[in-house]
């Protein structure tokens, strides 16, 4: 009996049903004679599941067990069903990811193309106005007055970029975009427009020239990207000219705010003093100083963000050219 059962179990092992078979033998004496019971503990190391002790008790003399494991055909069918379910799950997740990566719709794309074309044309008008005024006067002093109106109009129009990010048609950070746009709008209206004494400062021309070149390149980049026909020259300029234009623009902005401080303090522009019925005070002079200080932590973040973007966009192209 022992040899017969062992042969059956070894045959099951060779058939590939189980990866390891462990036999435990117990012998007990009774009044009618000796009886032998065999406890077969089976562990399927291949599938990673262990059978319970109750299910591992096999009857002596090869009696059929009603709690048998699924046969080869049944396991194959279950495997196919699991694979089909996994494939369906991957397809579903892939569709969701594709929808998330999908850009704006046709109507939103058409609107963004028109917006970027208009903004590109507007900053081109400002650039042409600066060049014409310089050629007519023969000096760069006071060039701000020749482009004051278009500068205010198109720089204020950049506020729509914050709306684009907020509604989701442009995948950019609302906070980052808001800081960049609002800082320029603030400098245009709350400093340069409000403090007329600084309009003839050379620092104003410095940031206006930096803004003009930057915005022409940036809006051209967005326009061609939306049309899926982006020239490499514009891409390269977008992620290269900022090395000089960003420090140039920030320097002009800081110098202009600094030049406005004495006039703001003297006139009390936009300041609110106590006592008043609202029991509220505001010192615009101190606010401008805080605005200048805020450039210290914020400007490096924006600058190094562009450097990282440049490595991401142009890095593989430069590496390829080095290999050649």
């Amino acid at each position: 009996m022992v040899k017969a059962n062992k042969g059956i179990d070894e045959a099951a092992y060779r058939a590939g049903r189980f990866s390891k078979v462990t036999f435990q033998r117990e012998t007990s004496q009774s009044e009618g004679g000796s009886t032998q019971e065999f406890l077969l503990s089976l562990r399927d190391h291949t599938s990673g599941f262990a059978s319970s002790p109750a299910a591992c008790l096999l009857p002596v003399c090869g009696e059929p067990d009603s709690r048998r494991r699924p046969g080869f055909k049944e396991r194959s069918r279950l495997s196919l069903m699991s694979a089909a379910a996994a494939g369906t799950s991957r397809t579903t997740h892939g569709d969701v990811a594709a929808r998330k990566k999908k850009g704006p719709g046709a109507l939103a794309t058409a609107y963004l193309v028109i917006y970027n074309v208009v903004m590109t044309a507007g900053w081109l008008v400002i650039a042409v106005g600066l060049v014409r005024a310089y050629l007519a006067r023969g000096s760069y002093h006071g060039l701000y007055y020749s482009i004051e109106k278009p500068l205010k109009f198109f720089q204020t129009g950049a506020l729509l970029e914050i709306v684009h990010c907020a509604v989701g048609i442009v995948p950019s950070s609302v906070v980052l975009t808001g800081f960049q746009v609002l800082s320029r709008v603030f400098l245009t209206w709350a400093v340069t427009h409000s403090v007329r004494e600084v309009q003839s400062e050379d620092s104003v021309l410095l940031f206006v020239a930096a803004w003009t070149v930057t915005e022409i390149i940036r809006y051209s980049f967005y326009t061609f990207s939306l049309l899926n026909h982006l020239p490499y020259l514009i891409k390269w300029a977008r992620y290269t000219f900022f090395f000089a234009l960003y420090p140039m623009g920030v320097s002009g902005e800081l110098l202009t705010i600094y030049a406005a401080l004495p006039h703001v303090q003297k006139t009390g522009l936009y300041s609110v003093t106590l006592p008043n019925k609202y029991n509220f005070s505001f010192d615009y002079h101190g606010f401008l100083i805080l605005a200048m200080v805020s450039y210290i932590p914020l400007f490096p973040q924006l600058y190094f963000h562009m450097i990282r973007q440049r490595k991401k966009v142009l890095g593989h192209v430069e590496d390829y050219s080095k290999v050649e």
Side-chain angles (χ1 to χ4, degrees):
M1 292 174 59
V2 175
K3 188 177 294 185
N5 282 301
K6 186 174 181 180
I8 293 172
D9 298 326
E10 289 178 349
Y13 175 75
R14 287 194 299 270
R17 293 188 181 180
F18 306 102
S19 61
K20 184 177 180 180
V21 181
T22 304
F23 298 95
Q24 293 180 356
R25 179 175 178 177
E26 295 181 358
T27 304
S28 62
Q29 298 292 334
S30 63
E31 295 179 356
S34 62
T35 60
Q36 293 181 337
E37 295 180 356
F38 296 92
L39 174 64
L40 180 64
S41 176
L42 305 176
R43 291 183 181 178
D44 188 352
H45 295 282
T46 304
S47 61
F49 294 98
S51 57
S52 64
C56 293
L57 287 173
L58 298 182
V60 183
C61 301
E63 294 179 4
D65 185 11
S66 60
R67 292 182 297 274
R68 63 180 181 83
R69 288 200 169 192
F72 176 76
K73 292 184 179 180
E74 294 177 353
R75 289 200 303 273
S76 301
R77 186 170 64 254
L78 292 174
S79 299
L80 291 174
M81 292 174 63
S82 300
T88 305
S89 178
R90 285 194 295 268
T91 304
T92 304
H93 288 298
D95 294 341
V96 173
R99 285 196 296 268
K100 287 183 178 179
K101 292 182 179 180
K102 188 179 180 180
L107 187 60
T109 301
Y111 161 75
L112 289 174
V113 169
I114 295 173
Y115 172 81
N116 287 289
V117 167
V118 171
M119 296 298 286
T120 303
W123 285 99
L124 282 171
V125 169
I126 295 173
V128 172
L130 287 172
V131 173
R132 290 181 60 184
Y134 175 77
L135 294 176
R137 298 183 182 186
S139 173
Y140 60 86
H141 295 290
L143 293 182
Y144 170 79
Y145 302 104
S146 62
I147 49 88
E148 180 180 4
K149 291 182 179 179
L151 175 67
K152 292 177 180 177
F153 180 82
F154 288 104
Q155 187 56 71
T156 306
L159 290 172
L160 288 173
E161 294 186 33
I162 304 176
V163 180
H164 299 162
C165 298
V167 300
I169 61 175
V170 173
S172 298
S173 170
V174 178
V175 176
L176 186 62
T177 304
F179 170 77
Q180 291 178 307
V181 173
L182 291 176
S183 63
R184 290 186 177 187
V185 172
F186 171 80
L187 192 68
T188 301
W189 290 99
V191 179
T192 309
H193 170 77
S194 301
V195 186
R196 292 193 167 274
E197 290 82 0
V198 303
Q199 294 178 358
S200 58
E201 294 285 338
D202 295 340
S203 59
V204 174
L205 180 62
L206 190 63
F207 74 74
V208 168
W211 288 3
T212 303
V213 178
T214 300
E215 298 300 64
I216 291 174
I217 296 173
R218 187 168 69 93
Y219 287 116
S220 299
F221 175 86
Y222 292 153
T223 301
F224 285 106
S225 296
L226 289 167
L227 296 174
N228 296 320
H229 293 288
L230 179 62
Y232 177 77
L233 180 61
I234 294 179
K235 182 195 291 186
W236 179 86
R238 170 80 172 97
Y239 293 103
T240 304
F241 281 21
F242 78 91
F243 280 113
L245 293 176
Y246 268 34
M248 177 180 170
V250 168
S251 300
E253 294 170 15
L254 289 174
L255 290 172
T256 301
I257 297 175
Y258 181 78
L261 288 177
H263 305 284
V264 172
Q265 188 176 26
K266 181 180 179 180
T267 60
L269 179 69
Y270 299 144
S271 296
V272 180
T273 58
L274 293 172
N276 56 68
K277 62 179 181 178
Y278 300 106
N279 196 26
F280 169 79
S281 64
F282 174 72
D283 184 14
Y284 187 57
H285 178 267
F287 178 79
L288 289 179
I289 295 176
L290 290 177
M292 294 177 66
V293 173
S294 69
Y295 277 75
I296 297 175
L298 294 175
F299 170 70
Q301 295 184 32
L302 296 174
Y303 194 71
F304 288 113
H305 170 73
M306 286 300 298
I307 292 177
R308 289 191 296 269
Q309 290 295 109
R310 186 181 193 276
K311 291 180 180 179
K312 184 187 300 183
V313 175
L314 301 180
H316 66 283
V317 178
E318 293 179 354
D319 293 340
Y320 179 75
S321 58
K322 287 180 182 179
V323 172
E324 288 188 339

